[in-house]
């Protein structure tokens, strides 16, 4: 993977979007097993309904993982300096996660050329589910 040239990047540069398959029960079961997060609201329909939800829904950290994939499709993982997020919505079954990001700042720190990115995970309807920022080193 070759890093994008720092000098060629402009504020507003868009990362290639990442579109994932629709969230389904298998997705949630696999994520629960991999993460160890077996919160019943994500895997048990009856429990979710008692919590006044129409059905089970995705773990918030699954969307964070998708944003990590957005970043690592662009730069190697060791180049990620920070990642912060805020949950803004619930990803329901059938939602197609779509992750995007763009450059909001270019700067140098600790001898590295870095960019700050605004990142977002939404769904196929344009509904925002997660927003955040990441800093990556380019050189």
């Amino acid at each position: 993977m070759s890093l994008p040239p720092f000098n060629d990047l402009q504020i507003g540069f868009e990362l290639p979007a990442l579109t994932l398959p629709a969230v389904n029960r298998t997705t949630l079961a696999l994520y629960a097993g991999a993460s160890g997060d077996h919160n019943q609201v994500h895997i048990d329909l009856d429990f979710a309904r008692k919590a006044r939800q129409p059905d089970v829904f995705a773990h918030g950290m699954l969307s964070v993982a998708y944003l990590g994939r957005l970043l690592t499709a662009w730069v190697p993982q060791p180049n990620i300096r920070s990642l912060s997020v805020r949950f803004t919505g619930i990803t329901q079954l059938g939602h197609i996660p779509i992750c995007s990001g763009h450059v909001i700042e270019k700067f140098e720190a600790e001898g590295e050329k870095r960019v700050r990115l605004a990142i977002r995970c939404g769904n196929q309807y344009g509904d925002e589910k997660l927003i955040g920022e990441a800093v990556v080193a380019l050189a």
Side-chain angles (χ1 to χ4, degrees), residues 111-125:
E112 295 179 324
K113 294 180 179 182
R114 298 179 180 181
V115 293
R116 183 176 316 280
L117 305 164
I119 52 177
R120 175 186 191 274
C121 184
N123 66 16
Q124 72 269 35
Y125 307 113

Side-chain angles (χ1 to χ4, degrees), residues 15-37:
L15 276 66
L18 174 67
T19 301
L20 288 301
V23 173
N24 59 38
R25 293 178 198 287
T26 301
T27 307
L28 302 183
L30 290 171
Y31 182 79
S35 68
D37 182 349

Side-chain angles (χ1 to χ4, degrees), residues 47-87:
F47 189 88
R49 287 187 174 158
K50 286 179 187 172
R52 297 187 178 154
Q53 295 296 318
D55 206 335
V56 296
F57 55 90
H59 305 72
M61 293 305 289
L62 176 59
S63 296
V64 177
Y66 290 154
L67 285 176
R69 284 181 57 187
L70 172 76
L71 296 174
T72 59
W74 193 56
V75 298
Q77 181 182 356
N79 289 59
I80 299 171
R81 297 294 175 261
S82 68
L83 172 64
S84 61
V85 297
R86 183 169 57 92
F87 300 102

Side-chain angles (χ1 to χ4, degrees), residues 35-50:
S35 68
D37 182 349
H38 298 281
N39 186 319
Q40 292 178 313
V41 77
H42 301 300
I43 54 179
D44 182 324
L45 175 60
D46 292 332
F47 189 88
R49 287 187 174 158
K50 286 179 187 172

